[in-house]
Amino acid sequence: MRGSQQGLAILLVLSLGLLCGAAPIAFNRTYANCKVINSANDVRLYWNITGNTINVGFYGKFAGYVAIAFSGDGLMSGKPKGFCDNWVVTKKGTVLDTYFSGESQVKNDTKNDFTWTYFSSNTSYLVGEFDRLLVTGDNRDYDITPGTGQGLIWAGAKSFSGTSYPDHKANYGSSFVDFGAPTSCDAPSTPGGFSSSTGFKVTWTLDDAKTMINFTMSYNNAGSGWLAIGISSTPLMTNSDMYSGWITNNVVTLYDGWCTGQTVPAADTTSNIIPGSVSGSVVGGLTTISFSRLIDTGDSAKDYTITSSPAALMVAWGPCTTGCAVGNYPKHTAYDSAFVNFLSTNGSASPPPSSDGVTVPNDPTKDPVGTTLSNADGSFTVTYQIVADKIIFKMVATTTGWISIGFSGGAMYPADIYVGWIYPDGKVHFRDQWADSYLTPVDDAQQDATILSASEANGKTSITFSRPCTTTDNTKDKNIYDPNLTKIIWALSPTDGNAYSYPKHSVFGSIPVDFLAGPPGSPSSAPPTPANAWIDSRKRFYVSWKITDADATITFNVTVQTNGWISIAFGRDNGPITMLGLDAIIGWIDPSGTAYAKDCICDSSSKILPIVDTTDNILSFSGSQANGYTSIVFTRKLDTGDAQDYPITNVALMVAVAWAPTLPSSYAKRDAQVLTYDVHSAWDATKLNFFSTAPLPPPPSGTVVNNTVNGTAPKGNNQYSNGQFKVSYEIDASETWVTFLMSAPTLGWISIGLNSRNNKMKTADTYTGWITDGQVYFYDELSDSYGQPIKDTSQDAVVLAAEEIDGWTTIVFKRKLVTGDKDNDVDLYNTEFIIFASDALDGSPTGNYPEHDYYGSKAIDFGLANGFAAADPGYMLTAGDILLIIMFVVMIVWGLIRLIAVLIKRSHYSSYQFDQPAATYTNVQQLYQQMDGAVDQQNEVEMVENAPREASGVEFHAGHYDGNTYVRLSPEERAGGLKLKHDSGVVASVKGILEYRFHSTQVTLGDVIAFTIFIGFNAAAFFLTKAEEWNTINGAAISLGSLVGGNAVFIVMFATRHSALVYLLGIPFDRAILFHRWLGRWSGIVLFLHFIFESIFFSQNLPAGSNDTAISVVAKEWVDNEGAIGEVTLNLYGFLSAIFYIIIFVFSLEWFRRNKFEIFFASHALILGFFALGALHSPKFRLYAYISAALFIIDILLRIFLSSIIIPRKTTVFKKRSDTLVQVRFPKQVPWAKPFYKPGQYVFVNFPDISRAEWHPFSVTSAPDDEEIEINIRALGNWTRKVAALAAESNRVWVRCDGPYGNLDLNYHRYTSLLLVAGGIGITPVIGILKDIFTAKKKKRSRLETVVMVWSVPSNNEGEWFMDDFRHLMNVAQHASIKLDLRIHVTRAAKDAPPPSPPMYNGRPDMEKLLDQCTDHRAPCFVFVCGPRKMVNATWDLATGFQRKGKIVHFHHETFEF
């Protein structure tokens, strides 16, 4: 029965296999070699090599298609050729020789290099066989080289339709093969492996070619968490190649990372995990992840190259409770490591070397005899003894694992660590290390400890070692005499480490220590006796002295814990502690043992750093060093008689001691009058009477506070924290007391201040405290400067609790809301800001403390429920902000006034029709004779001959022709069509005064007044800002800096062509450029003042003892490049920004504008650097940079929108009017820009055929409503001569146009008379105005009666340039009700030249007479001038002169002097 059952089972399995087609199909031939490329899809490759031919067979468990590709590196990109050679068989029997170029769709090889021999398929498998040459000679085929590893790529799909096969999706992968090595599918390579005692497993297999390695890692983490393996030369995270992965919702995430330290590895820029090789699963809580990589990825910087040498394999695992992401996942739960040879036959793993130690005898004679410290239960003891300049330690712990001690303020880091253990073989591992985090400490590069004795017995480990009290490793070793070294931290583990690392501690703690508990070592020069002494309670220094009455001398012994320079200074007790005015002695011992002492003085000229006295009044001195202390003994007269020395009398003096760890750099110059040395690292001060024989009172002690912070801390939501400082407060129910908590991540001093004015230190009511040896030092102070605050006479604050935990110092205190101390305490309800500060060092028992290394501020209102949240005013307006607001308000108001004025003026208009009877006149001479019937031509000749500046009379009134008779309109007839009010005589006089032109310039009195008002706005903004105190050096400097930014906005605004100035103020671009230049110069002055004030403030606030200046400090920032973007390096950005501004300023001077325009133009690109560096220099400057950038971008967009600055247009006319004049016509840019065209405007044009970068402005000769733009270019310079040359070669060229620009700020149709004056090519805008008046398609309401055009030209030839235009205008004007009088004056005509025909005249026009006639009978007159500067200025002066006489003249001139 049993046999029958087995048979049935076999038949069932076979029948199911046939039904499902699960069995692979047999090949048509046999093969010697076989390789399983992918086991999951049973993809296999078979081959034989005969001669230079390879026979290949392959199959895969796919019903659609299966493909095999040869590639150099196993990637579709196919390096190094850039493609992969692909062979594919489909279910339809299609066989293809194809290739991939990158990871794109497969492409058919145009040359078929294989012979297909067999194909077959069933419901599950596809099989194919082919032959090809090893080397085909086709650059689309890979050469097969037996004996080397070559990459294989496989892919497949379950379905296939059409002529192209679908994407393989997840069915793909890579492998490597050596076609020359015997390979069998039945004998896979033996996997290597490593199993951690915690259950983490890693296995790996090698490719036949030993080119690729396949890893599988697994750990039972209940299906939730991450796994990682790392490869390195040492079993340490630092510089290890790490592969981390996890599975979430059946999705495998694995990334190639690199560890730069003991933190989560960052992802490699290039992942070298083989594509398609990543797979994973979670079964029964067991997470398994597999992947492949090359033995040598080629990424030597971020991947470990696997060789035949043993490598460290590290494994780690941890949770994903807070989420896992690439480069960011939780810390490992556990880890392990081993050394493996990945390329060996079996790949077995071995633990790291168990012993790397040295043999150290157990020698109790080396043990220290001194102070013994212990933890609470006695399981860890430390004994130490100071011997000469060394200290000996013995650490004993109840463990047979590793033990460690470290020196710090109580926290694990930063700490100086010493760790050791004893291996089972008796050898000792001992290292000097440094901890900069809570992770495993790292070895010091400089090992400064020497092991003396070690033993392990009775379950205890003992290690004795020595080290210098003060080592030369200032960065990784603690100075034993460091006053902040208050704790010995200790730790132990039941397990030894290995040669590379050690496990996490099982027990740890700290023990208070005072290495200065005993008196400092005796210097070689003992202090004289009897003597009085000032001894620091922390034994950092002592000062003793003896007065000898016989010779009236005093001898000092100054001993300080340092090997650098030391100093004592004394002088008048002026209350606040300051070095200024103190008499100082500075001494040091050089490396050869030579002692130095210098008699110095601290005066204001020395910038706080003492300078050497002119006369050295030290009578004798000596010095020595011992036990890390420097001692200087010197003698001087009580009263030296030297004005630079302070006399010592029977009064209390201010006495200060200061020191640094370094020596002066100029100490070798014994007679040097200038010392160069670093600023002091520490100092203290007190009041002493050297004549007093009574012992000095002991230094004040702090307060021992037993309350806990948690029990006394303020409650509620009134709290603020920024990560660097915490402060909170609570007001009691009676509103009498307020409780404060202040806390900072430091073991030094912390402080808060209350300020009712601003967020500055000066004038603040401050509260400062620190904790030393369990005692709290706390002071109620007042900051009357930016130096150390002064202690209040009345201490109105009480400490409630204080603690130092986990590197944070926290102090809780209370004070009354109103203390009654009006001189020193701030009324809390008037407080606007809380300022806060901290430092890494404690202060001294005398209440002195070093400068802060961190500070900040926060707005507050104690009268509100949540003072911090509700009181914050946000951004405080700077002087620059206020200037922007003032100017924008003025511009908007002025714009509204101008709008209202325009509307009022328009309301005076009534309908008026032009009378234009049809007629045609072609004879200009006859036309002039008819219009100027009373003008005698002979008189004109006499005028030219006898009075070169005498013009014929002009009748400034209008009329029309009735047949051949000219009929003048009466004033009533003329005025009836237009009712408009004009300025009174008084207003005209005022205008005349405002438009007064300063000699040799085109600057008006009105311009000067307007800019003076702008400077007044600057001054108002400077004094109105509350962001800074303008009456302090620093406040003034910051306000001036913000004004630089505010002015810079208007510099940009006045330089943009489509600025608000045109629309709001009516200032055209050509006029705005004048103010642009003035603003640039004014901003340069403000910038210079900002620099001066900052330099003064910088110099005044340099640390005591510094010879630096503001410039030298900024220079050092450039040279030293200290730190990231911080408070100090910001000065460098400001300095460079100023340099950029100076460069722009210099190259914008007139000589460069006129002679080196390219340099002038290019230098203005530095404005980008000015704003960028200014924004880095001060965050508040960014607002001005953003506004300026917005103005510039809007201007560029408007220019693109309204012009053709990008897309050029073809000219319709491009021809020479004469040898030196070119007429240019081209279509207007865009239809929507037509309303922007006005008479008398100009455009910037560019001819790409000449230069793509060079643009020049030209007046528009065409009328505003013409369909095309006409300009006329006279060949005067290099560029314009190139235009003339181009016109000689071509009649149609490409042109780009930017514009129009310019603005006639008053409508000349409002005037009865219009006088147009031009010189030379300045006639072009005049022609445009004439066309607007007489030929415009849309007629305008006008009060014009007479238009007189006066054009001065040097010769008749120039006068003929635009004669066709004049003929057309005269032909039209004779039918209009406005009289047109054209006068062309030839200024260089010979005296005996015959009189020309009208409108040509010989001689210069008499402008004064013309203006007098124009303004006769107080009729309003509009004068427009365009021409040479002298002509413009002369006409300008005449016009303003008539204005001052009360005549109504409006003057406008055009200029191209940008």
Side-chain angles (χ1 to χ4, degrees):
M1 183 68 180
R2 183 174 299 172
S4 299
Q5 291 175 341
Q6 291 176 344
L8 287 172
I10 294 171
L11 289 173
L12 180 61
V13 172
L14 290 174
S15 60
L16 286 173
L18 292 172
L19 179 64
C20 298
I25 304 169
F27 286 111
N28 206 24
R29 56 191 175 194
T30 60
Y31 294 94
N33 302 287
C34 173
K35 179 176 179 61
V36 178
I37 301 176
N38 177 259
S39 57
N41 295 287
D42 199 15
V43 181
R44 302 189 181 207
L45 181 72
Y46 295 79
W47 73 91
N48 297 319
I49 294 178
T50 305
N52 61 355
T53 301
I54 184 170
N55 315 120
V56 179
F58 65 98
Y59 67 73
K61 196 176 181 180
F62 294 101
Y65 72 85
V66 62
I68 302 290
F70 300 152
S71 172
D73 56 2
L75 300 175
M76 287 180 68
S77 58
K79 296 177 182 177
K81 286 192 175 183
F83 63 89
C84 63
D85 185 13
N86 193 55
W87 308 85
V88 61
V89 59
T90 72
K91 72 175 184 177
K92 294 184 178 182
T94 306
V95 291
L96 300 169
D97 178 7
T98 60
Y99 67 92
F100 278 90
S101 179
E103 298 187 7
S104 59
Q105 184 66 24
V106 68
K107 300 178 181 180
N108 290 331
D109 196 343
T110 55
K111 181 181 178 183
N112 187 4
D113 294 297
F114 72 93
T115 302
W116 197 258
T117 61
Y118 177 70
F119 162 78
S120 184
S121 66
N122 58 26
T123 56
S124 296
Y125 280 85
L126 289 170
V127 64
E129 293 178 305
F130 65 89
D131 301 331
R132 61 154 277 184
L133 296 175
L134 295 175
V135 180
T136 66
D138 184 354
N139 62 4
R140 296 297 182 188
D141 293 333
Y142 262 95
D143 297 340
I144 296 175
T145 307
T148 61
Q150 293 188 269
L152 289 177
I153 305 174
W154 67 271
K158 303 297 183 182
S159 61
F160 180 85
S161 62
T163 58
S164 62
Y165 48 88
D167 193 315
H168 50 68
K169 299 188 183 302
N171 299 314
Y172 72 98
S174 301
S175 184
F176 282 81
V177 66
D178 180 358
F179 287 103
T183 308
S184 172
C185 292
D186 299 324
S189 58
T190 303
F194 165 66
S195 296
S196 171
S197 59
T198 57
F200 194 107
K201 293 183 179 180
V202 183
T203 60
W204 58 88
T205 59
L206 292 172
D207 185 86
D208 300 317
K210 292 189 176 181
T211 306
M212 183 171 69
I213 187 167
N214 314 297
F215 286 102
T216 298
M217 55 181 174
S218 62
Y219 180 69
N220 194 329
N221 56 6
S224 174
W226 57 267
L227 313 179
I229 63 171
I231 309 171
S232 183
S233 57
T234 62
L236 299 175
M237 278 186 69
T238 304
N239 297 325
S240 65
D241 185 9
M242 195 71 66
Y243 299 87
S244 309
W246 52 88
I247 300 177
T248 305
N249 297 326
N250 296 322
V251 176
V252 182
T253 300
L254 181 79
Y255 77 95
D256 179 6
W258 180 261
C259 290
T260 58
Q262 300 184 59
T263 56
V264 177
D268 281 5
T269 305
T270 302
S271 175
N272 289 295
I273 298 171
I274 299 295
S277 68
V278 178
S279 63
S281 64
V282 178
V283 179
L286 181 70
T287 299
T288 302
I289 297 177
S290 301
F291 68 96
S292 302
R293 57 153 279 183
L294 296 180
I295 299 296
D296 183 359
T297 66
D299 185 1
S300 59
K302 295 294 178 67
D303 284 328
Y304 184 83
T305 301
I306 297 173
T307 66
S308 57
S309 300
L313 172 66
M314 291 163 284
V315 299
W317 55 99
C320 281
T321 53
T322 58
C324 289
V326 174
N328 185 15
Y329 51 85
K331 184 181 178 182
H332 55 254
T333 302
Y335 65 94
D336 205 346
S337 62
F339 275 84
V340 301
N341 188 334
F342 290 107
L343 303 187
S344 67
T345 304
N346 58 9
S348 60
S350 60
S354 59
S355 176
D356 67 316
V358 297
T359 301
V360 178
N362 179 20
D363 186 356
T365 63
K366 302 284 184 70
D367 291 346
V369 179
T371 305
T372 298
L373 307 173
S374 173
N375 65 349
D377 61 5
S379 61
F380 203 110
T381 62
V382 180
T383 302
Y384 68 89
Q385 178 186 8
I386 297 176
V387 180
D389 60 347
K390 292 188 177 181
I391 186 168
I392 303 171
F393 290 95
K394 179 180 181 180
M395 53 182 177
V396 181
T398 306
T399 182
T400 56
W402 63 262
I403 62 177
S404 173
I405 63 172
F407 309 132
S408 74
M412 178 179 172
Y413 77 94
D416 185 8
I417 304 290
Y418 300 88
V419 63
W421 57 86
I422 302 174
Y423 290 113
D425 61 4
K427 292 184 177 181
V428 181
H429 177 107
F430 180 79
R431 304 298 290 170
D432 174 8
Q433 296 187 315
W434 177 258
D436 58 3
S437 69
Y438 287 113
L439 301 174
T440 305
V442 294
D443 288 353
D444 282 6
Q446 180 175 314
Q447 293 289 307
D448 293 299
T450 303
I451 188 165
L452 303 176
S453 176
S455 66
E456 191 172 88
N458 301 321
K460 290 189 175 184
T461 299
S462 172
I463 296 177
T464 301
F465 67 95
S466 68
R467 55 149 282 181
C469 293
T470 303
T471 74
T472 57
D473 186 358
N474 295 326
T475 59
K476 297 296 176 67
D477 285 333
K478 289 284 189 180
N479 185 338
I480 292 300
Y481 299 117
D482 184 344
N484 293 298
L485 199 162
T486 59
K487 299 286 179 64
I488 289 181
I489 59 175
W490 59 269
L492 60 85
S493 170
T495 309
D496 290 342
N498 56 44
Y500 302 97
S501 186
Y502 49 95
K504 187 177 181 180
H505 53 252
S506 58
V507 186
F508 68 97
S510 65
I511 307 171
V513 67
D514 184 2
F515 291 114
L516 299 174
S522 300
S524 57
S525 299
T529 56
N532 292 323
W534 169 31
I535 302 176
D536 178 38
S537 62
R538 287 183 285 172
K539 307 299 186 293
R540 298 174 300 168
F541 65 87
Y542 71 81
V543 178
S544 61
W545 62 93
K546 178 183 178 181
I547 295 176
T548 303
D549 294 329
D551 54 3
T553 60
I554 185 169
T555 301
F556 288 94
N557 181 326
V558 183
T559 302
V560 184
Q561 180 199 340
T562 184
N563 289 322
W565 64 262
I566 65 176
S567 173
I568 182 172
F570 41 82
R572 184 190 304 276
D573 177 16
N574 293 318
I577 299 174
T578 176
M579 286 186 66
L580 292 177
L582 296 186
D583 184 8
I585 305 293
I586 300 174
W588 63 94
I589 311 293
D590 73 6
S592 67
T594 304
Y596 294 81
K598 292 291 183 181
D599 184 6
C600 301
I601 180 68
C602 303
D603 65 3
S604 58
S605 66
S606 64
K607 297 183 175 65
I608 302 177
L609 183 68
I611 60 173
V612 178
D613 278 5
T614 306
T615 303
D616 186 354
N617 291 296
I618 299 175
L619 302 177
S620 63
F621 69 90
S622 62
S624 63
Q625 283 183 335
N627 300 333
Y629 282 81
T630 296
S631 180
I632 298 293
V633 179
F634 67 93
T635 302
R636 60 154 274 181
K637 287 281 189 181
L638 292 172
D639 186 354
T640 66
D642 185 349
Q644 291 182 315
D645 291 333
Y646 196 84
I648 298 174
T649 60
N650 192 9
V651 296
L653 303 178
M654 176 64 67
V655 182
V657 176
W659 62 94
T662 56
L663 297 174
S665 60
S666 59
Y667 66 85
K669 300 177 182 179
R670 297 173 80 68
D671 298 325
Q673 292 300 303
V674 177
L675 292 178
T676 303
Y677 50 95
D678 292 335
V679 68
H680 57 255
S681 59
W683 66 281
D684 204 350
T686 191
K687 298 177 183 178
L688 293 175
N689 185 337
F690 293 122
F691 279 81
S692 175
T693 58
L696 288 174
S701 60
T703 304
V704 177
V705 181
N706 295 319
N707 297 329
T708 63
V709 168
N710 289 336
T712 59
K715 299 176 179 59
N717 297 322
N718 289 315
Q719 50 188 306
Y720 169 75
S721 175
N722 61 6
Q724 295 296 317
F725 207 97
K726 298 178 183 177
V727 59
S728 62
Y729 72 91
E730 178 186 6
I731 301 175
D732 69 355
S734 65
E735 296 191 4
T736 303
W737 292 90
V738 59
T739 302
F740 287 97
L741 178 148
M742 57 181 179
S743 183
T746 179
L747 298 178
W749 64 262
I750 60 177
S751 176
I752 65 170
L754 309 173
N755 200 320
S756 60
R757 300 182 183 179
N758 51 41
N759 60 346
K760 306 301 178 185
M761 176 180 172
K762 189 175 181 181
T763 72
D765 179 13
T766 59
Y767 300 87
T768 306
W770 59 88
I771 303 171
T772 302
D773 296 332
Q775 293 187 324
V776 181
Y777 294 82
F778 184 80
Y779 302 95
D780 177 7
E781 302 173 308
L782 175 66
S783 293
D784 65 346
S785 67
Y786 289 101
Q788 180 175 319
I790 302 171
K791 308 294 184 294
D792 282 6
T793 305
S794 173
Q795 293 289 304
D796 296 303
V798 179
V799 177
L800 301 179
E803 65 183 18
E804 286 183 337
I805 296 178
D806 296 332
W808 282 71
T809 296
T810 303
I811 297 178
V812 181
F813 69 95
K814 71 174 185 178
R815 57 152 278 183
K816 287 186 176 182
L817 272 77
V818 180
T819 66
D821 186 358
K822 296 182 179 179
D823 295 331
N824 299 312
D825 291 338
V826 174
D827 183 341
L828 263 62
Y829 286 127
N830 294 328
T831 299
E832 294 186 2
F833 289 94
I834 280 187
I835 61 174
F836 38 84
S838 64
D839 189 70
L841 299 177
D842 286 345
S844 71
T846 56
N848 301 316
Y849 48 93
E851 185 179 357
H852 55 254
D853 58 16
Y854 170 77
Y855 70 96
S857 65
K858 178 68 177 175
I860 192 169
D861 187 342
F862 287 98
L864 300 176
N866 188 343
F868 286 118
D872 193 348
Y875 185 82
M876 296 186 68
L877 293 176
T878 65
D881 301 340
I882 295 174
L883 177 65
L884 291 181
I885 293 172
I886 292 174
M887 281 301 298
F888 286 145
V889 169
V890 169
M891 290 168 60
I892 292 171
V893 171
W894 184 251
L896 290 174
I897 292 173
R898 292 185 70 249
L899 177 61
I900 292 170
V902 169
L903 294 176
I904 291 174
K905 289 174 181 177
R906 287 186 177 181
S907 68
H908 292 107
Y909 279 92
S910 61
S911 61
Y912 179 79
Q913 300 296 327
F914 284 85
D915 184 15
Q916 291 186 332
T920 302
Y921 285 80
T922 57
N923 189 318
V924 176
Q925 182 175 358
Q926 180 185 4
L927 181 63
Y928 261 81
Q929 290 173 347
Q930 290 182 2
M931 293 185 66
D932 289 335
V935 179
D936 189 344
Q937 293 295 319
Q938 184 61 37
N939 292 340
E940 186 70 26
V941 173
E942 293 174 357
M943 181 273 295
V944 174
E945 292 178 347
N946 303 321
R949 291 187 179 273
E950 183 67 27
S952 62
V954 178
E955 295 186 46
F956 283 92
H957 53 79
H960 64 87
Y961 284 92
D962 183 5
N964 293 326
T965 304
Y966 181 74
V967 180
R968 295 180 174 83
L969 296 178
S970 67
E972 292 76 14
E973 292 175 319
R974 193 69 192 93
L978 183 66
K979 298 177 181 179
L980 185 64
K981 293 182 178 180
H982 276 278
D983 300 330
S984 66
V986 174
V987 173
S989 299
V990 172
K991 283 187 175 181
I993 294 172
L994 293 177
E995 293 180 3
Y996 170 77
R997 182 187 64 84
F998 289 96
H999 182 66
S1000 300
T1001 71
Q1002 291 189 345
V1003 176
T1004 68
L1005 179 61
D1007 295 334
V1008 175
I1009 293 174
F1011 196 74
T1012 303
I1013 293 173
F1014 178 81
I1015 294 176
F1017 289 160
N1018 272 255
F1022 178 82
F1023 292 112
L1024 287 174
T1025 180
K1026 290 187 177 181
E1028 306 295 339
E1029 294 178 290
W1030 60 265
N1031 58 347
T1032 65
I1033 295 296
N1034 188 43
I1038 296 175
S1039 292
L1040 287 168
S1042 69
L1043 282 176
V1044 172
N1047 282 284
V1049 171
F1050 294 103
I1051 291 176
V1052 174
M1053 178 183 289
F1054 276 83
T1056 54
R1057 297 176 183 176
H1058 288 284
S1059 73
L1061 302 170
V1062 174
Y1063 307 107
L1064 294 178
L1065 304 184
I1067 300 177
F1069 172 66
D1070 51 299
R1071 196 65 186 160
I1073 285 296
L1074 172 68
F1075 292 101
H1076 167 75
R1077 295 189 197 119
W1078 288 3
L1079 277 167
R1081 292 159 188 164
W1082 166 247
S1083 298
I1085 294 172
V1086 178
L1087 179 62
F1088 178 72
L1089 292 175
H1090 168 68
F1091 173 77
I1092 293 298
F1093 276 83
E1094 280 286 16
S1095 299
I1096 294 172
F1097 175 76
F1098 212 102
S1099 300
Q1100 289 179 347
N1101 289 273
L1102 286 172
S1106 174
N1107 259 338
D1108 280 321
T1109 63
I1111 297 294
S1112 67
V1113 170
V1114 172
K1116 286 181 180 178
E1117 293 173 19
W1118 176 266
V1119 175
D1120 298 337
N1121 194 25
E1122 298 177 356
I1125 299 177
E1127 288 297 325
V1128 177
T1129 53
L1130 297 185
N1131 296 311
L1132 178 60
Y1133 295 126
F1135 190 75
L1136 293 177
S1137 179
I1139 294 296
F1140 277 28
Y1141 192 91
I1142 292 171
I1143 294 173
I1144 298 171
F1145 181 86
V1146 170
F1147 287 114
S1148 64
L1149 297 176
E1150 185 170 4
W1151 187 89
F1152 285 99
R1153 293 201 316 271
R1154 300 288 176 234
N1155 300 284
K1156 300 291 181 182
F1157 180 82
E1158 295 80 3
I1159 297 176
F1160 156 75
F1161 185 77
S1163 68
H1164 272 58
L1166 294 178
I1167 196 69
L1168 299 175
F1170 166 74
F1171 278 112
L1173 290 167
L1176 289 174
H1177 173 60
S1178 171
K1180 293 182 179 180
F1181 197 86
R1182 295 170 189 170
L1183 171 67
Y1184 314 121
Y1186 294 152
I1187 295 175
S1188 300
L1191 290 172
F1192 180 74
I1193 292 171
I1194 291 172
D1195 181 61
I1196 292 295
L1197 293 176
L1198 285 174
R1199 290 166 65 186
I1200 294 173
F1201 181 74
L1202 299 174
S1203 306
S1204 56
I1205 64 173
I1206 297 178
I1207 302 174
R1209 302 290 181 105
K1210 272 284 188 180
T1211 59
T1212 57
V1213 175
F1214 189 66
K1215 66 178 182 180
K1216 285 189 171 185
R1217 286 182 182 266
S1218 69
D1219 290 340
T1220 59
L1221 188 67
V1222 178
Q1223 181 186 16
V1224 185
R1225 293 186 70 90
F1226 51 88
K1228 288 183 177 177
Q1229 299 91 315
V1230 286
W1232 53 81
K1234 290 182 180 179
F1236 291 89
Y1237 283 86
K1238 306 294 180 186
Q1241 290 179 312
Y1242 56 90
V1243 293
F1244 289 84
V1245 294
N1246 164 262
F1247 293 99
D1249 291 336
I1250 298 175
S1251 169
R1252 292 185 176 275
E1254 200 164 355
W1255 294 75
H1256 290 266
F1258 296 96
S1259 294
V1260 176
T1261 312
S1262 52
D1265 56 0
D1266 285 354
E1267 295 299 323
E1268 294 182 329
I1269 299 173
E1270 178 181 334
I1271 60 174
N1272 288 269
I1273 301 173
R1274 188 179 182 187
L1276 295 173
N1278 292 333
W1279 186 84
T1280 51
R1281 280 192 282 268
K1282 291 179 182 178
V1283 175
L1286 185 62
E1289 300 172 0
S1290 175
N1291 57 6
R1292 293 197 68 188
V1293 296
W1294 291 105
V1295 62
R1296 291 188 296 169
C1297 175
D1298 181 12
Y1301 300 109
N1303 180 35
L1304 293 180
D1305 49 1
L1306 283 179
N1307 184 357
Y1308 45 74
H1309 286 283
R1310 298 172 52 240
Y1311 294 81
T1312 57
S1313 303
L1314 174 61
L1315 177 60
L1316 303 173
V1317 182
I1321 196 62
I1323 191 62
T1324 51
V1326 171
I1327 294 175
I1329 294 172
L1330 292 174
K1331 289 181 179 179
D1332 176 63
I1333 295 172
F1334 293 103
T1335 68
K1337 297 176 183 178
K1338 184 179 179 181
K1339 299 303 178 182
K1340 302 177 179 65
R1341 289 170 295 176
S1342 179
R1343 202 185 184 200
L1344 277 174
E1345 297 178 357
T1346 305
V1347 177
V1348 177
M1349 184 208 79
V1350 179
W1351 182 27
S1352 297
V1353 292
S1355 67
N1356 289 334
N1357 291 335
E1358 284 86 346
E1360 297 292 335
W1361 281 348
F1362 299 98
M1363 194 57 70
D1364 290 341
D1365 295 284
F1366 294 149
R1367 291 190 182 100
H1368 175 68
L1369 287 168
M1370 289 300 301
N1371 197 18
V1372 173
Q1374 64 175 312
H1375 312 299
S1377 58
I1378 302 173
K1379 179 184 177 182
L1380 173 62
D1381 189 352
L1382 299 182
R1383 294 173 173 272
I1384 304 174
H1385 287 261
V1386 180
T1387 59
R1388 297 179 185 174
K1391 291 186 177 181
D1392 55 352
S1397 300
M1400 304 283 283
Y1401 300 94
N1402 289 339
R1404 297 179 181 179
D1406 189 335
M1407 295 306 304
E1408 184 173 5
K1409 186 173 182 179
L1410 286 170
L1411 278 169
D1412 185 55
Q1413 294 171 346
C1414 179
T1415 58
D1416 193 20
H1417 306 296
R1418 303 182 63 84
C1421 178
F1422 187 98
V1423 180
F1424 176 89
V1425 184
C1426 183
R1429 190 181 185 92
K1430 289 184 178 181
M1431 184 188 77
V1432 171
N1433 290 347
T1435 309
W1436 189 339
D1437 293 341
L1438 288 171
T1440 54
F1442 278 100
Q1443 285 179 325
R1444 290 192 293 274
K1445 295 176 182 178
K1447 294 190 176 182
I1448 304 172
V1449 180
H1450 179 77
F1451 177 82
H1452 182 92
H1453 74 280
E1454 285 293 319
T1455 180
F1456 296 115
E1457 296 180 357
F1458 295 114

